[in-house]
Amino acid sequence: MATTTPRLLFFFCVLISVGILVADSKFMVYNTSQGIVPGKLNVHLVPHTHDDVGWLKTVDQYYVGSNNSIQGACVQNVLDSLIPALLADKNRKFIYVEIAFFQRWWRDQSDAVQRIVTDLVSSGQLEFINGGMCMHDEAATHYVDMIDQTTLGHRFIKREFDVTPRIGWQIDPFGHSAVQAYLLGAQVGFDSLYFGRIDYQDREKRKNEKSLEFVWQGSKSLGSSAEIFSGAFPANYEPPSGFYFEVNDNSPIVQDDITLFDYNVQERVNDFVAAAVSQANITRTNHIMWTMGTDFKYQYAHTWFRQMDKLIHYVNKDGRVNALYSTPSIYTDAKYATNESWPIKTGDFFPYADRINAYWTGYFTSRPALKHYVRTMSGYYLAARQLEFFKGRSTSGPNTDSLADALAIAQHHDAVTGTEKQHVANDYAKRLSIGYMESEQLVATSLAHLVESASYTGSGNPTTKFQQCLLLNISYCPASEVTLSQGKKLIVVVYNSLGWKRDDTVRIPVINEDVIVHDSEGKAIESQLLPLDDVHLGLRNYYVKAYLGQTPTKTPKYWLVFTVSVPPLGFSTYTISGAEGAGASSTRSSVYTFQSREKSTIEVGQGNVKLSFSTDQGKMTNYVNSRSLVEESVQQSYSFYNGYNGSNDKAPLIPQNSGAYVFRPNGTFLITPEEKASLTVIRGPVIDEVHQQINSWIHQITRLHKEKEHVEVEFIVGPIPTDDGIGKEVVTQLDTAMATNKTFYTDSNGRDFIKRIRDYRTDWDFKVNQPVAGNYYPINLGIYMQDNRTEFSVLVDRSLGGSSTVDGQIELMLHRRLLLDDSRGVAEALNETVCVSDECTGLRVLGKFYFRIDPLGDGAKWRRSFGQEIYSPLLLAFAEQDGDNWKNSHATTFSGIDSSYSLPDNVALITLQELDDGKILIRLAHLYEVGEDKDFSVMANVELKKLFPRKKIGKATEMNLSANQERTEMERKRLVWKKEGGSSGTEKGVRGGPVDPAKLVVELAPMEIRTFLIDLEQKFFHRRHHHHDDVSDV
């Protein structure tokens, strides 16, 4: 007993003192006001949430918080709880990124809440970072879509809050593109760009060299004038281990109430300092950033801010390091103020692997049908906005807003990438479909206004009813499948959204076999009928039933093909009618089928390009261009990779399957044509075709257009068989004898081409563990290779993955069907199926690629000009007409620009759009890089007055890329960073000069994009009185 007395006395003393403390305790006020402290390590705490605009749940499910059996996530809760948390302490800060979510929330708020939020934005407590509708992907996105979705978000922020985002925040995309850095970073006006994912080998080297932060020069052409300060996070976009504070997170909280058990202030301060010092050891300057948040966090924001308040308070009392609430803007300014010199980065960050055997190069191709739908809608949206401008924008009637929103969301890094769950992919497609239907109405009424303008005198709506055919890719077009008898004619209006005159072929299914085609002037033109083969008919019937729930009532027998000539930003009209009299109708194609046992060589092509095929091998053998005198042995084949099953991996390797994200092949298997395979040759005056059934699930048409000098290859792949229990990834290879020395070139988001060297990385000593997957790159426009004589170019109709894994060969991955998940969070195998009457089969994919061989140095002209034609296909609208009076009562040609003008061959009009305020948004893009072409890599001039011939330009204001600030203002604020090695290798790059307000001529240097807001003093087609001279006679 005696030995316990002192302990009891001590215990009673503690109780008494605790009682006094409890009696005297007051509300604890934490000092969170600390700013930057010179001479100390400053830890910038950046509170953020990463809110995927669809992934495991749809965008709306994420917003409202439904379908929580998949994932407990509700963005509405995040934003609802954030506002009172910020109001509780003026020093607290938060950044928000995804405007698709914020816009939904903003529209739901009262005027009072909106005023509070506006004040929080004005004070800098709430800052918009990145500011696009989504955090777009950087591999599978086209630069025009990246610009459009960013502009949509930036203009919303400008309109509602009068602020311009300063920082790029691409923290989750799976690799990073040069276009993101110089175009969607520097040209938008961002002062810095931060991201989370770089290759694990690259990250280790950069940590050792303290080069995780650098100045990125993404453009060879624009050089230092378009560079941006960039930072890759040390691990990911999450807090350091042990500092997660969502309600259910298991990190230790700061327990600072000494009246309660588990008091741990010093322990938590020590943890904080240790983590800070560890990060400081791999970071230059005395500033580090902690990303305090991750996916869908802050659903109860107070749980985070309460702990960060305490950490800032106690860490600063401790004094070893300085902690502060911050944002990426504050952090960037602090870095800039240090006057440090930074290493230079060129090129891009593809491909990305997060560990050995885990190259995220599969998603370059995943969900190829969705990727094509996105690309198709992108080109359609560009054309629809032009027609919306010509007619006059309506906020109440049909407009392009719905398609704009759907396309913006589809650029998300778990949308067009194909890395979302199937029900979410369906949701993206549904949104695109809804947007298309409204834009389709708009296009139809706009074209009706334009064709009727010659005789239009009354008020009300035009009477012409145009139909369009979105399902032409599956040979289904009810508008063209009409019986042409008793004087009935089919009117085809062909719209060209490019800025130069275009000669191309149109291909539509028809019922009649005796038809004749007349052009805009009434002259009969050459046309060709090709039989509609059983493979395409089967595809048509199956997918029409799948999409529309009905079987087509008619079966067209033929494709009708004819050549059209269409003015820039304009249309031509073609009339299809029943042929009267012998000899006047379309030419029936000759058809000859060769069996594989026949040993012979056949040649196809009636223009400059000719291809040879070996009938017994069933494959292409030779390419000749008689104009350029190029001849090359070319062979094409198909193969598949078996998807790897990671259960075969043994420790210390982490099991890794091939899946939606990761491409991990397990052997290559050549697909040889089956013994009974035949080769069918179809010839005619417009095109020649070679049809091949490669095997039971691959069909191909090789097509040569008489007036073109490239080869078009159309493929149908699928259903990919999986009855052996193994997923497969299907590729095609084009083999030549070219000596390419491991080198090839792929595009960056459809803009610059970047040099690739097999098994090599510019920035580090590359250790090869996946020789195929580790050499795959994203392709949006094309891929090419060259030797000392020729260059071989391949262009694509959607984003996909490709490589040159063998010298002289180009490989494209066309389709993937896998049975295992690759453990990156989606928790679902990439196994796309289509169901009809409850019977499901693997997805079939129809697509095209194009190739051409040129003398060395001549390939860029085709890649750039034809690349524009792929992105912006001709838009077809159909109407029926009885009798011969169409030409008398309708305009048969139109050009939206001056009839004597077209854009230079090296310039594209990538935006022509009337905004809500009546201003016109226009973007002009130079299509060539410095040194890419001897004729076109030069300064180009565009006369704005010629683009608006029937209107007077009141004012043309040059803007930044996303049109939320004047370019002069953006340039004035621009931070110029010091770089290691002085100015060597940092040429500024040439830019076009200022625009004279009187002459209104825009200069464009190679790879330059210039953006203008234009005030027009006169509106065209906005009124109900039109005159014949409103329509150009082109």
Side-chain angles (χ1 to χ4, degrees):
M1 287 291 291
T3 56
T4 62
T5 304
R7 292 182 184 175
L8 284 171
L9 286 171
F10 174 75
F11 182 64
F12 288 133
C13 291
V14 169
L15 278 178
I16 293 165
S17 63
V18 166
I20 295 167
L21 280 168
V22 170
D24 292 349
S25 68
K26 294 179 180 176
F27 175 69
M28 180 69 185
V29 178
Y30 298 104
N31 181 2
T32 58
S33 63
Q34 190 70 286
I36 291 166
V37 176
K40 267 193 181 178
L41 174 59
N42 290 277
V43 184
H44 294 249
L45 302 184
V46 176
H48 79 107
T49 179
H50 176 65
D51 297 342
D52 289 303
V53 184
W55 178 36
L56 309 182
K57 307 199 295 187
T58 69
V59 57
D60 286 347
Q61 289 170 351
Y62 271 134
Y63 176 65
V64 299
S66 59
N67 211 355
N68 279 343
S69 61
I70 293 178
Q71 184 182 12
C74 175
V75 175
Q76 209 169 10
N77 286 350
V78 173
L79 293 166
D80 280 347
S81 72
L82 174 65
I83 305 310
L86 291 177
L87 289 173
D89 182 347
K90 70 180 191 314
N91 298 309
R92 291 175 174 176
K93 291 178 170 52
F94 195 83
I95 62 169
Y96 200 75
V97 176
E98 295 86 4
I99 301 304
F101 284 130
F102 189 87
Q103 192 179 66
R104 281 165 167 76
W105 181 82
W106 181 251
R107 289 169 180 162
D108 284 346
Q109 304 311 305
S110 66
D111 290 346
V113 171
Q114 288 192 353
R115 283 193 295 273
I116 290 167
V117 174
T118 301
D119 289 342
L120 289 170
V121 172
S122 298
S123 70
Q125 273 192 270
L126 176 60
E127 184 174 348
F128 294 108
I129 300 288
N130 226 32
M133 297 300 283
C134 68
M135 186 182 294
H136 56 225
D137 181 55
E138 299 180 37
T141 43
H142 191 274
Y143 76 95
V144 172
D145 292 327
M146 297 164 84
I147 294 169
D148 284 341
Q149 82 87 16
T150 302
T151 300
L152 207 58
H154 280 196
R155 288 186 61 79
F156 167 82
I157 295 168
K158 182 69 174 176
R159 184 174 64 248
E160 299 294 340
F161 301 99
D162 195 30
V163 295
T164 55
R166 287 185 54 199
I167 309 295
W169 190 255
Q170 291 288 111
I171 60 176
D172 196 27
F174 327 128
H176 302 282
S177 73
V179 158
Q180 177 63 38
Y182 86 83
L183 193 63
L184 278 300
Q187 310 268 298
V188 164
F190 288 162
D191 289 322
S192 58
L193 167 64
Y194 298 100
F195 42 89
R197 298 186 187 273
I198 62 171
D199 189 278
Y200 72 103
Q201 295 181 31
D202 191 10
R203 193 191 304 271
E204 282 310 303
K205 179 171 185 282
R206 289 182 179 277
K207 284 162 75 169
N208 291 335
E209 296 178 349
K210 292 191 174 185
S211 61
L212 284 166
E213 294 172 323
F214 45 86
V215 172
W216 190 356
Q217 292 181 354
S219 169
K220 298 188 296 288
S221 301
L222 300 177
S224 63
S225 71
E227 68 190 15
I228 188 166
F229 179 78
S230 305
F233 299 143
N236 49 41
Y237 55 84
E238 305 190 356
S241 178
F243 292 92
Y244 292 74
F245 299 121
E246 199 71 9
V247 171
N248 296 324
D249 282 337
N250 57 11
S251 295
I253 56 124
V254 180
Q255 206 298 82
D256 61 341
D257 187 341
I258 59 172
T259 69
L260 305 177
F261 289 176
D262 302 324
Y263 180 85
N264 66 351
V265 169
Q266 195 58 50
E267 185 183 332
R268 291 271 61 199
V269 168
N270 290 344
D271 292 342
F272 187 102
V273 172
V277 170
S278 174
Q279 187 169 331
N281 286 336
I282 56 171
T283 310
R284 300 188 188 197
T285 79
N286 62 329
H287 295 277
I288 62 171
M289 185 198 303
W290 281 13
T291 47
M292 298 301 292
T294 182
D295 296 11
F296 300 100
K297 299 305 183 186
Y298 291 77
Q299 294 193 59
Y300 179 46
H302 193 62
T303 62
W304 283 87
F305 282 112
R306 177 194 288 140
Q307 300 308 316
M308 287 187 288
D309 287 351
K310 293 178 180 182
L311 285 169
I312 291 170
H313 179 85
Y314 291 115
V315 165
N316 291 341
K317 280 185 74 174
D318 175 87
R320 284 175 286 173
V321 302
N322 181 57
L324 66 151
Y325 277 124
S326 188
T327 68
S329 300
I330 295 169
Y331 179 78
T332 298
D333 289 339
K335 287 282 181 178
Y336 184 71
T338 63
N339 210 26
E340 176 81 11
S341 292
W342 302 95
I344 295 174
K345 159 74 182 171
T346 58
D348 63 5
F349 286 93
F350 287 115
Y352 160 66
D354 58 351
R355 60 177 183 244
I356 191 170
N357 297 328
Y359 281 90
W360 297 41
T361 53
Y363 81 94
F364 299 161
T365 298
S366 296
R367 301 194 188 278
L370 178 65
K371 283 177 164 64
H372 187 245
Y373 195 18
V374 171
R375 183 60 51 83
T376 302
M377 289 298 96
S378 177
Y380 190 84
Y381 176 53
L382 184 146
R385 282 181 290 173
Q386 295 176 1
L387 289 165
E388 184 174 39
F389 162 66
F390 293 140
K391 172 184 170 288
R393 177 175 164 78
S394 166
T395 51
S396 56
N399 58 44
T400 55
D401 292 354
S402 178
L403 183 55
D405 281 334
L407 262 174
I409 289 169
Q411 308 313 314
H412 168 58
H413 59 269
D414 283 306
V416 68
T417 53
T419 54
E420 65 275 41
K421 283 186 179 289
Q422 184 62 54
H423 79 105
V424 181
N426 297 343
D427 186 73
Y428 291 128
K430 180 179 179 180
R431 290 172 186 281
L432 289 169
S433 177
I434 292 168
Y436 168 78
M437 285 190 287
E438 185 174 347
S439 292
E440 183 185 40
Q441 285 182 287
L442 165 81
V443 166
T445 55
S446 296
L447 286 172
H449 272 275
L450 294 174
V451 300
E452 294 184 14
S453 62
S455 62
Y456 204 78
T457 54
S459 60
N461 292 319
T463 56
T464 306
K465 303 297 182 195
F466 281 114
Q467 291 179 276
Q468 294 159 70
C469 292
L470 181 63
L471 297 181
L472 258 176
N473 66 317
I474 57 167
S475 316
Y476 182 65
C477 181
S480 71
E481 298 167 16
V482 293
T483 303
L484 301 175
S485 59
Q486 298 170 336
K488 181 184 282 188
K489 294 179 169 58
L490 179 66
I491 306 298
V492 186
V493 171
V494 183
Y495 181 76
N496 169 29
S497 59
L498 298 180
W500 53 76
K501 177 174 171 284
R502 179 168 177 179
D503 297 315
D504 208 340
T505 53
V506 164
R507 179 186 179 93
I508 55 174
V510 293
I511 299 286
N512 296 53
E513 57 186 79
D514 295 315
V515 294
I516 188 166
V517 183
H518 291 87
D519 66 12
S520 299
E521 296 173 0
K523 289 190 290 196
I525 60 169
E526 195 164 52
S527 59
Q528 178 181 347
L529 286 170
L530 295 92
L532 192 57
D533 60 83
D534 290 343
V535 173
H536 284 78
L537 275 176
L539 191 78
R540 163 195 166 95
N541 292 336
Y542 186 85
Y543 279 87
V544 168
K545 184 76 184 290
Y547 293 159
L548 305 180
Q550 62 192 44
T551 302
T553 55
K554 299 176 182 176
T555 301
K557 296 179 182 177
Y558 301 99
W559 285 106
L560 173 65
V561 181
F562 54 96
T563 302
V564 298
S565 182
V566 196
L569 269 72
F571 64 74
S572 296
T573 306
Y574 293 82
T575 305
I576 302 168
S577 55
E580 297 172 6
S585 62
S586 293
T587 303
R588 297 274 292 275
S589 305
S590 68
V591 180
Y592 191 85
T593 299
F594 297 85
Q595 301 302 322
S596 58
R597 61 181 175 271
E598 300 179 48
K599 288 198 171 186
S600 63
T601 299
I602 55 168
E603 186 179 81
V604 294
Q606 300 169 62
N608 292 328
V609 172
K610 291 182 171 54
L611 287 179
S612 299
F613 285 80
S614 164
T615 56
D616 59 323
Q617 296 177 48
K619 63 169 62 173
M620 183 192 315
T621 57
N622 205 53
Y623 172 106
V624 178
N625 185 323
S626 56
R627 180 193 57 79
S628 64
L629 303 180
V630 166
E631 181 169 3
E632 188 70 50
S633 165
V634 179
Q635 294 196 356
Q636 187 211 353
S637 58
Y638 286 87
S639 302
F640 65 83
Y641 297 103
N642 274 347
Y644 194 91
N645 185 334
S647 62
N648 299 324
D649 289 321
K650 301 291 183 279
L653 291 176
I654 300 171
Q656 181 60 63
N657 301 326
S658 202
Y661 299 86
V662 173
F663 172 33
R664 189 181 182 192
N666 186 17
T668 316
F669 300 88
L670 181 68
I671 298 170
T672 53
E674 296 170 352
E675 282 187 23
K676 296 179 182 177
S678 60
L679 189 143
T680 300
V681 180
I682 300 176
R683 302 180 193 268
V686 183
I687 58 174
D688 285 1
E689 293 184 346
V690 178
H691 291 231
Q692 296 170 271
Q693 188 73 45
I694 309 297
N695 66 6
S696 61
W697 49 275
I698 300 178
H699 182 268
Q700 175 174 300
I701 300 174
T702 307
R703 195 171 284 133
L704 284 168
H705 299 253
K706 182 180 179 182
E707 304 298 329
K708 305 288 184 183
E709 293 192 5
H710 64 259
V711 179
E712 176 183 319
V713 180
E714 178 183 297
F715 59 86
I716 299 173
V717 174
I720 298 173
T722 56
D723 44 8
D724 57 359
I726 300 171
K728 298 171 184 66
E729 325 201 27
V730 181
V731 298
T732 188
Q733 289 109 351
L734 293 156
D735 284 279
T736 72
M738 293 170 65
T740 54
N741 193 27
K742 294 187 173 183
T743 303
F744 57 104
Y745 301 81
T746 64
D747 69 276
S748 179
N749 303 112
R751 281 301 273 169
D752 312 63
F753 277 89
I754 298 181
K755 183 178 182 178
R756 312 296 190 185
I757 300 173
R758 190 164 61 251
D759 294 337
Y760 176 79
R761 299 291 189 267
T762 308
D763 295 341
W764 77 93
D765 184 14
F766 180 48
K767 294 178 178 60
V768 180
N769 53 65
Q770 285 291 315
V772 177
N775 285 300
Y776 253 62
Y777 291 88
I779 302 170
N780 276 281
L781 168 60
I783 177 173
Y784 72 92
M785 58 185 179
Q786 59 190 33
D787 61 12
N788 58 5
R789 298 179 303 108
T790 55
E791 51 188 286
F792 186 113
S793 307
V794 182
L795 301 185
V796 298
D797 68 345
R798 71 199 72 193
S799 60
L800 47 74
S803 186
S804 175
T805 58
V806 176
D807 275 4
Q809 181 194 84
I810 283 175
E811 174 173 304
L812 305 175
M813 185 180 287
L814 306 178
H815 195 6
R816 322 176 69 219
R817 187 182 185 190
L818 297 161
L819 305 181
L820 300 170
D821 176 59
D822 54 7
S823 306
R824 291 307 183 280
V826 76
E828 190 175 277
L830 181 70
N831 183 9
E832 295 182 279
T833 58
V834 175
C835 302
V836 174
S837 304
D838 297 326
E839 185 178 330
C840 300
T841 58
L843 177 72
R844 277 176 277 184
V845 170
L846 183 149
K848 295 177 183 177
F849 61 88
Y850 311 82
F851 70 86
R852 173 168 161 151
I853 308 175
D854 286 288
L856 184 65
D858 288 354
K861 285 186 178 69
W862 179 69
R863 290 193 294 270
R864 294 301 185 180
S865 58
F866 189 65
Q868 288 299 115
E869 294 185 20
I870 298 171
Y871 176 72
S872 290
L874 293 169
L875 191 158
L876 307 181
F878 302 89
E880 292 179 30
Q881 171 78 15
D882 292 316
D884 294 320
N885 62 351
W886 183 274
K887 191 169 185 292
N888 300 327
S889 58
H890 298 81
T892 56
T893 64
F894 164 81
S895 178
I897 66 177
D898 191 293
S899 59
S900 64
Y901 189 68
S902 69
L903 286 180
D905 290 340
N906 51 3
V907 174
L909 176 69
I910 61 170
T911 309
L912 175 60
Q913 178 179 6
E914 182 178 346
L915 303 174
D916 283 340
D917 58 8
K919 286 182 170 28
I920 310 305
L921 176 63
I922 184 171
R923 286 191 188 90
L924 296 160
H926 199 299
L927 295 173
Y928 290 77
E929 298 177 66
V930 165
E932 187 176 6
D933 184 85
K934 62 182 184 297
D935 299 315
F936 292 140
S937 293
V938 295
M939 192 72 77
N941 294 322
V942 174
E943 299 178 54
L944 288 182
K945 291 177 182 177
K946 295 286 181 71
L947 298 185
F948 302 95
R950 291 167 282 274
K951 317 165 193 67
K952 186 172 188 302
I953 295 176
K955 186 182 181 186
T957 307
E958 184 162 11
M959 307 297 287
N960 70 326
L961 187 71
S962 59
N964 67 348
Q965 57 186 309
E966 292 191 21
R967 179 178 168 180
T968 52
E969 177 68 8
M970 177 190 80
E971 299 284 2
R972 185 186 64 77
K973 296 185 298 187
R974 178 179 167 78
L975 301 182
V976 179
W977 297 80
K978 289 177 68 176
K979 296 169 290 259
E980 290 180 346
S983 60
S984 62
T986 62
E987 288 77 10
K988 191 162 186 183
V990 179
R991 293 296 188 105
V995 176
D996 183 321
K999 295 178 181 176
L1000 291 173
V1001 174
V1002 178
E1003 287 185 332
L1004 290 144
M1007 276 292 108
E1008 189 172 23
I1009 296 179
R1010 297 183 73 172
T1011 304
F1012 295 87
L1013 282 180
I1014 292 178
D1015 292 280
L1016 295 174
E1017 293 186 354
Q1018 176 190 345
K1019 299 285 177 68
F1020 170 52
F1021 284 141
H1022 290 206
R1023 300 289 175 264
R1024 298 296 186 199
H1025 48 275
H1026 304 300
H1027 304 285
H1028 185 64
D1029 62 358
D1030 280 338
V1031 178
S1032 304
D1033 292 315
V1034 180

